[in-house]
Amino acid sequence: MKASEIRSKWLAFFESKGHKIEPSASLVPHNDPSLLWINAGMAPLKSYFDGRVIPDNPRIANSQKCIRTNDIENVGKTRRHHTFFEMLGNFSIGDYFKEEVITWAWEFLTSPEWIGFEPDRLSVTVYPEDEEAFRYWNEKIGLPAERIYKLDENFWDIGEGPCGPCTEIFYDRGDKYGDLSDPECWPGGENERFLEVWNLVFSQFNHNKDGSYTPLPNKNIDTGAGLERFASILQDVDSNFDTDLFRPIINQTCQIAGDSVRYGANVEHDIALKVIADHIRTVAFAVGDGVLPSNEGRGYIIRRLLRRAVRYGKSLGVDRPFLHELVAVVGDIMGVYYPEVVEKREFIEKVIRTEEERFHETLSDGLALLDELVRTAMTAGQKEINGPDAFKLYDTYGFPFDLTEDYASEQGMTVDREGFDTAMEAQRDRARSARQDTGSMNVQGGPLANFTEKS
């Protein structure tokens, strides 16, 4: 089943249950300074949940584009880490609650008309004190008690405000992905066999300032399911990167890299191909939503992702700007639901190409110096690149610290952050002093008067 079909089925199913389908919001939060990016399906619906806005329909469903960047270093190295992903969600603002959402989740997952999972492959986790959810799964759905696991972690709570227990639904991918004799091979354990596909949060308490919990007058439902995970199961592939959401991008990158690069033939090449595929999706969507590469905030994250992708491209032997050529492929895959990636294609390509060209101007020299620093440190039996050397890479070659850190990590090394910060502060002190000196001489625009940090 294609990813676009899964998305369509999700929205059609919940529309049939009386939900209003909300279009995906921009990745840039609207009137929400607490978030850098929209990072979950419910994030753009906060005003409904906290009561600031009363929705026309208390039943809502969406497929929301999201960005999370807290695990960038894991992208490409695991089956499911991404910086950009789609979260499928259904929500109730004081309308239905546990019984309905559990019943509908089971119907959507197991009915041949919708997803068609084999019921025997599904297990769930619940909060130990949530006997109500346990009863619905066990008595109404008919799930055997031995496939309902009670976990203390199944309580969604981010501090003061609405919170509540949750139930997570897991799909058993079979013996190929784990042996049941492994003590970690169970729903909720550290394994690849039992894949969490859906989290249903029952927002029924308020976490008060004094740490106590009181029942909410209006109980809400907030659920989230990853489209990429659904696709990996329904397309029977090893990882999210092998689905039709990523493979066309990977295939095009291989074509650009030439005959020496084939997906599945080399572990390091595969990591590079996955990183590139992930990052170009994130960058294309972010630029399409108006975020431009820069040295701060969202723009810095986009610049960092672009430069990481360029560096991984070099590891594949691609020594020219190429990421902009992948934007059209992203549009081909995603444009059916996100037309902005197609409509703004020329603009997105121009922004990405300009950033690539700027970085390529200094990348080769910087990488050569970084490689030399790593070799020198290894020869001396050291496991750390010193801070002043990392600062020289930043100051002279435009290498962001985290890019140096990424490269060092791949070689099993670390970078002296404290030494880097000290060298950075010394540079700023020199710049401030230079501005004061030129100012005292009434010189307009002296050599450091317009000093800015290297991009």
Side-chain angles (χ1 to χ4, degrees), residues 85-102:
F85 63 96
E86 281 185 80
M87 185 171 283
L88 306 169
N90 64 289
F91 313 91
S92 169
I93 315 300
D95 186 34
Y96 61 82
F97 203 48
K98 294 181 186 178
E99 182 175 9
E100 293 90 343
V101 74
I102 287 173

Side-chain angles (χ1 to χ4, degrees), residues 235-294:
Q235 294 173 21
D236 192 23
V237 293
D238 183 65
S239 79
N240 293 1
F241 291 98
D242 297 299
T243 67
D244 64 345
L245 290 165
F246 291 91
R247 276 305 297 269
I249 305 173
I250 290 172
N251 293 343
Q252 181 64 23
T253 306
C254 288
Q255 199 168 354
I256 291 170
D259 294 339
S260 62
V261 176
R262 289 186 298 107
Y263 184 57
N266 177 293
V267 173
E268 294 304 316
H269 283 179
D270 285 355
I271 290 174
L273 290 165
K274 291 172 183 177
V275 169
I276 290 166
D278 172 88
H279 288 7
I280 191 59
R281 287 187 358 137
T282 309
V283 172
F285 271 91
V287 173
D289 280 346
V291 180
L292 302 180
S294 70

Side-chain angles (χ1 to χ4, degrees), residues 100-119:
E100 293 90 343
V101 74
I102 287 173
T103 302
W104 291 338
W106 189 257
E107 179 186 352
F108 180 73
L109 291 175
T110 61
S111 170
E113 179 186 356
W114 302 106
I115 295 301
F117 286 158
E118 296 175 32

Side-chain angles (χ1 to χ4, degrees), residues 260-335:
S260 62
V261 176
R262 289 186 298 107
Y263 184 57
N266 177 293
V267 173
E268 294 304 316
H269 283 179
D270 285 355
I271 290 174
L273 290 165
K274 291 172 183 177
V275 169
I276 290 166
D278 172 88
H279 288 7
I280 191 59
R281 287 187 358 137
T282 309
V283 172
F285 271 91
V287 173
D289 280 346
V291 180
L292 302 180
S294 70
N295 282 343
E296 58 186 18
R298 298 181 189 93
Y300 174 71
I301 290 172
I302 295 311
R303 173 164 282 167
R304 180 187 177 190
L305 294 179
L306 267 168
R307 291 182 170 186
R308 288 187 92 240
V310 168
R311 185 172 66 77
Y312 274 104
K314 284 185 74 69
S315 75
L316 298 175
V318 184
D319 291 316
R320 62 173 180 81
F322 74 99
L323 292 170
H324 62 281
E325 297 174 23
L326 300 174
V327 175
V329 186
V330 175
D332 290 342
I333 299 167
M334 309 294 285

Side-chain angles (χ1 to χ4, degrees), residues 257-444:
D259 294 339
S260 62
V261 176
R262 289 186 298 107
Y263 184 57
N266 177 293
V267 173
E268 294 304 316
H269 283 179
D270 285 355
I271 290 174
L273 290 165
K274 291 172 183 177
V275 169
I276 290 166
D278 172 88
H279 288 7
I280 191 59
R281 287 187 358 137
T282 309
V283 172
F285 271 91
V287 173
D289 280 346
V291 180
L292 302 180
S294 70
N295 282 343
E296 58 186 18
R298 298 181 189 93
Y300 174 71
I301 290 172
I302 295 311
R303 173 164 282 167
R304 180 187 177 190
L305 294 179
L306 267 168
R307 291 182 170 186
R308 288 187 92 240
V310 168
R311 185 172 66 77
Y312 274 104
K314 284 185 74 69
S315 75
L316 298 175
V318 184
D319 291 316
R320 62 173 180 81
F322 74 99
L323 292 170
H324 62 281
E325 297 174 23
L326 300 174
V327 175
V329 186
V330 175
D332 290 342
I333 299 167
M334 309 294 285
V336 64
Y337 191 69
Y338 301 100
E340 64 270 21
V341 186
V342 177
E343 294 165 358
K344 298 177 182 178
R345 172 183 158 186
E346 288 186 14
F347 172 72
I348 297 169
E349 288 176 341
K350 182 178 179 181
V351 169
I352 292 175
R353 177 160 192 153
T354 299
E355 184 68 16
E356 283 186 277
E357 289 172 345
R358 287 183 61 192
F359 192 42
H360 266 280
E361 290 174 5
T362 56
L363 181 61
S364 294
D365 290 343
L367 274 176
L369 178 57
L370 180 54
D371 201 41
E372 183 181 331
L373 290 173
V374 168
R375 283 201 309 271
T376 301
M378 285 182 168
T379 301
Q382 298 169 353
K383 287 290 186 178
E384 183 178 72
I385 295 173
N386 72 55
D389 284 339
F391 179 73
K392 180 181 179 182
L393 277 169
Y394 167 82
D395 191 47
T396 306
Y397 299 100
F399 249 67
F401 178 84
D402 46 34
L403 202 60
T404 302
E405 209 170 32
D406 283 347
Y407 186 84
S409 176
E410 289 166 13
Q411 313 303 318
M413 302 183 69
T414 59
V415 187
D416 173 20
R417 178 80 210 210
E418 188 175 340
F420 175 88
D421 289 341
T422 299
M424 171 75 84
E425 192 55 39
Q427 173 71 298
R428 287 172 174 158
D429 288 343
R430 288 193 296 272
R432 281 192 289 268
S433 175
R435 283 198 293 271
Q436 290 167 0
D437 290 345
T438 57
S440 67
M441 297 169 63
N442 294 319
V443 174
Q444 296 292 322

